[in-house]
Amino acid sequence: TLPFFFVESELFLDVVLALRKSVLDIMPSRHQLSGGIFNDQVTMAITDEKRAFMGLKNRNTFMTLLADGWKTASNVHVLGSSLVCIDQIMIFDTTEEGSEHHAIVVANNLELMIMKALEDGSVTLGAVCTDDAPQFACAQRKLSLQFPSLIFILCWRIK
């Protein structure tokens, strides 16, 4: 650590301001970071994620569909899902639920996610895990009749 008399000296402050100006000239702006650079990194991460999952899919490994609902800062209800296999997690789908988020709507949205995961035949789905909210429990009971080969699990969160 540096002593206060050194940090507060005029010479030190001049050096820090000069460094700050030179760094600001070469650093990308927040608009550049939030635009192209960020989007490129997201695309690269998604590609790497999918590549890792393709390797797991080729080994005929069962995957689990995790689904959870939440409300965004703008008061919009969202149902999101991820595919999990061993130690790999891939964001799978996000659906806006609108103003209705009761059991029937959740069941329909969850059914669409399951169908989407199963439609191309490349995913071997073994289980569906949701939180323990009543609408998810009801949706699981309804869907367990429609998809008897899947295991439906409630995840008990800490309250």
Side-chain angles (χ1 to χ4, degrees), residues 27-127:
M27 275 185 63
S29 71
R30 66 183 175 91
H31 299 290
Q32 289 173 317
L33 287 174
S34 66
I37 294 173
F38 179 74
N39 291 338
D40 292 345
Q41 290 300 314
V42 168
T43 303
M44 190 169 64
I46 289 172
T47 304
D48 292 345
E49 199 174 71
K50 285 184 179 177
R51 191 176 302 121
F53 251 71
M54 291 301 142
L56 291 172
K57 286 194 308 189
N58 294 336
R59 289 191 265 161
N60 292 328
T61 308
F62 283 101
M63 298 191 185
T64 302
L65 180 72
L66 301 178
D68 192 13
W70 65 91
K71 190 165 36 170
T72 65
S74 57
N75 215 19
V76 175
H77 292 274
V78 176
L79 178 66
S81 64
S82 301
L83 283 173
V84 179
C85 184
I86 306 172
D87 62 343
Q88 300 288 324
I89 298 175
M90 182 178 85
I91 296 172
F92 180 64
D93 192 23
T94 304
T95 305
E96 189 176 312
E97 289 184 303
S99 60
E100 294 183 349
H101 55 281
H102 51 78
I104 295 170
V105 173
V106 170
N108 290 340
N109 288 337
L110 197 53
E111 178 185 1
L112 292 174
M113 285 182 178
I114 293 169
M115 296 299 285
K116 184 177 176 184
L118 296 173
E119 74 184 6
D120 65 354
S122 62
V123 172
T124 308
L125 202 58

Side-chain angles (χ1 to χ4, degrees), residues 128-159:
V128 176
C129 181
T130 64
D131 71 7
D132 64 338
Q135 63 265 35
F136 279 106
C138 183
Q140 282 191 0
R141 286 192 295 276
K142 177 185 180 294
L143 294 173
S144 64
L145 299 172
Q146 188 173 346
F147 299 99
S149 62
L150 293 179
I151 299 168
F152 288 87
I153 306 163
L154 288 175
C155 178
W156 299 92
R157 62 180 182 248
I158 299 171
K159 295 182 182 190

Side-chain angles (χ1 to χ4, degrees), residues 2-16:
L2 298 173
F4 284 117
F5 72 89
F6 183 78
V7 175
E8 293 174 345
S9 71
E10 290 294 322
L11 180 63
F12 183 79
L13 291 174
D14 290 341
V15 169
V16 170

